[in-house]
Amino acid sequence: MGFDEMDVDTIWMDGEFVDWEDAQVHVLTHGLHYGTGVFEGVRCYDTVDGPAIFRWEEHLQRLYDSGKPYDIEIPFEPEELTDATVELIRRQDLQSCYIRPIAFYGYEELGLNPSNCPVNVAIAAWPWGAYLGEEALEEGVDVAVSSWRKYASSQIPTNAKTTGPYVNSVLASLEAKSNGYVEAILLNKEGHVAEGPGENLFLVRDGEIFTSGLAESNLDGITRRTVIELARDLGYTVYDQATISRGELYTADELFFSGTAAEVTPIRSVDDNEIGEGTKGPVTDEIQQEFFDLIEGKLDEYDDWFTYI
Ligand code: PPE
């Protein structure tokens, strides 16, 4: 994704709308040196009732919660961040976009104790298409189990979406790509399946759906929650506290990723082992279709998941 050719020119920063090129921080920003920031990835969809942010309240809640272990107190009320985001989208006339709120310890002094540093907050929004490519949504992706393990929740809280620890995802992602795969799957310290570098993972076996429990060092993904609810409403049995071994990946009937950026992306192979028929499976297809209907605003029963612009 490049920003140059995009039709977006404004960023909200610390209470004000500033020009894209003026949204700068000092090079001695605490968060740059120590990764002391928390962030979100949210999508706004062009629904049949107009542009609407998907599950904004949940993302906002996770942003505030993510800051807790680090004493990052966001100096804005949730309503202020909501208003800023809605206005940001309106000003740039975006119909659908990816929204990136971030809060981080700013510039005051370095050293590991951040308590004298201000907390800076910014929100950007820009168009962002299919994370792993349009074709991936249809055909599925080829993935590899990473040689890097997911950091354990006993080392860094994995339910917080903190900037610094994403170096773990970057390593897994780089490794997968340099070996010719589209994406990675990370095992946790115990060797169980944790998640993708930027996605949760679902497994289908004998018509039932499994996803790693939240104590497996994965993020409590909001798309994960959405998929669980949609699947149950479709009548599937979903085990959402599963422990999944590496071997079970290879023998699964179907596998798919979920995430704000990745949406619902089928996995067609793991470590060169074909999964199912080596393409999008029927259960994945049904859930993905339901998900796309949902984000197009066609499913009235989930209307309270949308914040209209
Ligand atoms: N696990 C990880 C590690 C993760 O980063 C994400 C989101 C998820 C699971 C899914 O969570 P949710 O979006 O709430 O369903 N990854 C974000 C960042 C992607 C990026 O490349 O940056 C995202 O999807 O927005």
Side-chain angles (χ1 to χ4, degrees):
M1 180 200 50
F3 291 108
D4 299 351
E5 68 286 5
M6 290 184 329
D7 194 19
V8 284
D9 56 11
T10 307
I11 287 182
W12 182 91
M13 214 175 165
D14 298 323
E16 283 168 56
F17 292 95
V18 298
D19 288 342
W20 188 277
E21 55 273 20
D22 295 332
Q24 309 272 4
V25 295
H26 195 274
V27 74
L28 297 183
T29 293
H30 198 277
L32 179 63
H33 290 251
Y34 307 115
T36 46
V38 295
F39 70 108
E40 274 302 317
V42 193
R43 277 189 191 266
C44 171
Y45 287 106
D46 186 14
T47 76
V48 290
D49 300 311
I53 311 175
F54 183 60
R55 306 201 76 169
W56 174 251
E57 298 297 330
E58 291 87 342
H59 282 283
L60 206 51
Q61 183 65 51
R62 192 172 64 187
L63 182 71
Y64 284 88
D65 286 349
S66 290
K68 285 180 184 167
Y70 304 96
D71 296 335
I72 295 176
E73 283 178 29
I74 296 177
F76 294 93
E77 295 302 319
E79 299 73 37
E80 292 177 286
L81 298 188
T82 303
D83 292 348
T85 303
V86 169
E87 177 63 17
L88 186 68
I89 294 170
R90 276 195 194 138
R91 280 188 186 212
Q92 300 179 105
D93 212 13
L94 292 162
Q95 302 306 303
S96 66
C97 60
Y98 185 82
I99 305 160
R100 171 56 57 86
I102 184 167
F104 55 95
Y105 280 119
Y107 168 58
E108 179 61 36
E109 62 183 28
L110 289 181
L112 291 180
N113 183 350
S115 44
N116 289 330
C117 294
V119 173
N120 295 120
V121 187
I123 305 170
W126 66 85
W128 198 355
Y131 189 53
L132 301 173
E134 276 299 332
E135 196 192 313
L137 295 173
E138 215 36 60
E139 311 290 336
V141 288
D142 298 311
V143 310
V145 173
S146 183
S147 70
W148 296 103
R149 294 289 176 93
K150 174 74 196 249
Y151 57 87
S153 59
S154 57
Q155 299 171 307
I156 300 174
T158 49
N159 56 338
K161 203 165 158 63
T162 314
T163 57
Y166 269 85
V167 291
N168 183 234
S169 291
V170 171
L171 287 169
S173 200
L174 283 175
E175 181 190 50
K177 267 143 216 169
S178 73
N179 289 333
Y181 300 94
V182 173
E183 192 56 303
I185 293 174
L186 290 114
L187 307 179
N188 63 20
K189 188 163 71 53
E190 291 74 30
H192 308 150
V193 172
E195 59 181 347
E199 308 90 354
N200 291 110
L201 185 123
F202 285 82
L203 179 151
V204 182
R205 191 171 57 220
D206 297 332
E208 296 182 320
I209 299 172
F210 302 80
T211 191
S212 302
L214 296 178
E216 299 292 345
S217 299
N218 50 5
L219 186 71
D220 180 3
I222 289 157
T223 321
R224 176 186 182 279
R225 295 184 213 162
T226 303
V227 166
I228 292 166
E229 197 160 335
L230 290 182
R232 286 188 177 141
D233 289 352
L234 287 168
Y236 287 102
T237 300
V238 183
Y239 299 94
D240 63 359
Q241 297 298 325
T243 304
I244 300 172
S245 70
R246 179 174 182 167
E248 287 173 293
L249 294 174
Y250 304 113
T251 57
D253 297 334
E254 301 177 32
L255 295 173
F256 62 90
F257 282 131
S258 74
T260 297
E263 299 175 308
V264 175
T265 301
I267 296 171
R268 68 178 175 193
S269 75
V270 179
D271 298 333
D272 302 323
N273 297 287
E274 207 169 80
I275 305 304
E277 302 292 314
T279 184
K280 179 169 47 170
V283 176
T284 307
D285 188 46
E286 190 182 359
I287 289 167
Q288 189 193 51
Q289 192 53 57
E290 187 78 351
F291 181 80
F292 285 138
D293 285 347
L294 168 70
I295 60 175
E296 284 168 29
K298 293 179 181 164
L299 307 179
D300 290 342
E301 62 268 42
Y302 308 106
D303 197 47
D304 54 358
W305 282 346
F306 293 91
T307 302
Y308 290 93
I309 299 304

